[in-house]
Amino acid sequence: MTLSDLKATLSFNDGSPSIELPVYQGTVGPDVIDIRKLYAQTGRFTYDPGFISTASCKSAITYINGDKGELLYYGYPIEQLARQCDFLEIAYLLLKGELPNLEQKQTFKNLVARHTMVHEQMRTFFQGFPRDSHPMAVLTGCVGALSAFYHDVLNIHDPRQREISAIRIIAKLPTLVAMAYRYHIGQPFMYPRNGLSYSANFMHMMFANPCEEYAVNDVLARALDRILILHADHEQNASTSTVRLAGSSGANPFACIAAGIACLWGPAHGGANEAALKMLEEIGAPERIPDFIKRVKNKQPDVKLMGFGHRVYKNYDPRAKLMRETCHEVLQELGLSNDPLFKLAMALEKIALEDEYFISRKLYPNVDFYSGIVQRALGIPSAMFTCVFAMARSVGWVAQWDEMTSDPEQKIGRPRQLFVGPMPRSVKAIEQR
């Protein structure tokens, strides 16, 4: 971040004096007007619901150019990372700022493997949840509970201790996600197999059983790895901002990640792939697509288009092309190329890409449109989709938390408000109200 020669001048039409505000330049992207002294100098705040035009922090981790359809992790295009790296390499990159060499990768992999187990007492913690609990409710509680196991000895201002916390989060999330699933379906927990890759180990914990050997399909493990890579980080979205806001108070990192998981659970955020799959199931057959499209165009309240367009990407979602490739690979591997749901999805995609209504509004298929189909083919039920998303995003969350905690300019988050309540008034005696 560098101070620009450019200054922003803010003037008022009520006779108040104008003020000059500094302008900062990032590596790429829009310049930022520094308004930190605005209230002190003018007695006024800015008003920006949803923080649409507010940079809440400075970060070197992820950059999105929505107009170009570009996503970078530490400057590397997501297309190159997804095709040439595995998930633990991406985790290393997000934490360290550089991709690992062979030795660094092996050391990092071994370090993560040593932390995949969770305390055996977590078994009894699970038993406190009803069997039909939503897995995200269980995951939120269990990740938050980890703060009870790693709290007294944690100094978040010590870089080494922050690194250990990051490793624990990356290592234990797959274990807890798998345990949430196994508990939900009433099957015994499977312990981690540290000789497997990160994604293969997760699939083992999800789908193996103690009665027989489970062979991980390499094609399916790579598909899962790509899902994790594509969802690892996405700039200052709602859940990442939640983690940063919670972390700004000095809260335990596991509690911060639990807060992020709770935010991700919202259907407007992490539930989009589940909603896209549900939409396809409700359409039911390719011949019903024209009627569905007609209802979308007429904005009928009982129909909602899911998996198309993106709040950030005004062009094509760069992750969607990669997930589309993975979708084809998985369905071909499993002999599901003629799967009715996939054929329906491809028919809907074709119509959407050729229809002027979609083109003019840039409603291109996004990553959620394909990821739900891929996860369904992998055997992951729709109730678990957001848990898998949380497992992937936990890497970005912990990287963002670490970056924020080490920033000397960081202050506790404290947004201001535009108050629209009643004027000051006096309380009357109860008989006079």
Side-chain angles (χ1 to χ4, degrees), residues 269-382:
H269 191 4
N273 50 14
E274 185 177 352
L277 188 64
K278 183 178 179 182
M279 175 194 72
L280 292 171
E281 291 171 342
E282 289 175 349
I283 295 172
E287 58 268 21
R288 296 180 61 185
I289 292 176
D291 179 64
F292 173 77
I293 296 295
K294 182 180 178 181
R295 290 162 62 205
V296 168
K297 291 179 180 179
N298 291 335
K299 299 182 179 179
Q300 293 188 8
D302 62 332
V303 62
K304 193 169 185 180
L305 182 68
M306 301 302 298
F308 287 82
H310 196 279
R311 182 177 179 180
V312 175
Y313 297 112
K314 306 309 177 186
N315 206 318
Y316 199 76
D317 183 343
R319 303 167 300 170
K321 181 180 179 181
L322 296 159
M323 190 51 63
R324 188 180 190 274
E325 293 174 2
T326 298
C327 197
H328 282 279
E329 291 169 3
V330 167
L331 294 173
Q332 183 176 354
E333 174 69 17
L334 295 174
L336 297 174
S337 296
N338 291 319
D339 177 73
L341 195 69
F342 179 65
K343 293 179 75 172
L344 171 63
M346 295 302 98
L348 179 58
E349 176 198 53
K350 185 175 187 297
I351 291 173
L353 292 176
E354 296 174 354
D355 192 297
E356 180 58 29
Y357 177 89
F358 288 83
I359 295 171
S360 63
R361 291 165 175 78
K362 297 185 177 180
L363 294 175
Y364 304 106
N366 60 37
V367 68
D368 299 308
F369 183 72
Y370 301 105
S371 64
I373 300 171
V374 174
Q375 290 189 65
R376 178 177 179 267
L378 294 177
I380 300 171
S382 59

Side-chain angles (χ1 to χ4, degrees), residues 142-250:
C142 289
V143 172
L146 288 178
S147 60
F149 294 94
Y150 307 105
H151 181 72
D152 292 342
V153 297
L154 178 59
N155 175 10
I156 64 171
H157 301 294
D158 181 343
R160 176 57 182 158
Q161 292 192 40
R162 289 202 306 272
E163 182 181 19
I164 293 171
S165 294
I167 295 297
R168 283 173 172 157
I169 288 167
I170 293 168
K172 296 181 191 304
L173 255 292
T175 308
L176 290 174
V177 170
M179 289 175 77
Y181 171 64
R182 306 286 292 200
Y183 183 78
H184 184 69
I185 63 175
Q187 290 189 6
F189 299 141
M190 297 298 295
Y191 287 112
R193 291 275 183 90
N194 292 339
L196 297 173
S197 71
Y198 190 87
S199 294
N201 182 44
F202 175 67
M203 294 184 71
H204 161 78
M205 290 189 290
M206 285 280 287
F207 304 123
N209 68 70
C211 304
E212 57 193 45
E213 285 296 316
Y214 173 78
V216 177
N217 184 309
D218 290 339
V219 174
L220 305 188
R222 284 199 302 272
L224 178 61
D225 217 58
R226 179 167 287 189
I227 289 173
L228 300 182
I229 290 170
L230 297 181
H231 290 88
D233 197 54
H234 212 236
E235 224 184 65
Q236 304 307 315
N237 53 78
S239 56
T240 300
S241 296
T242 298
V243 171
R244 278 183 170 264
L245 189 61
S248 73
S249 72

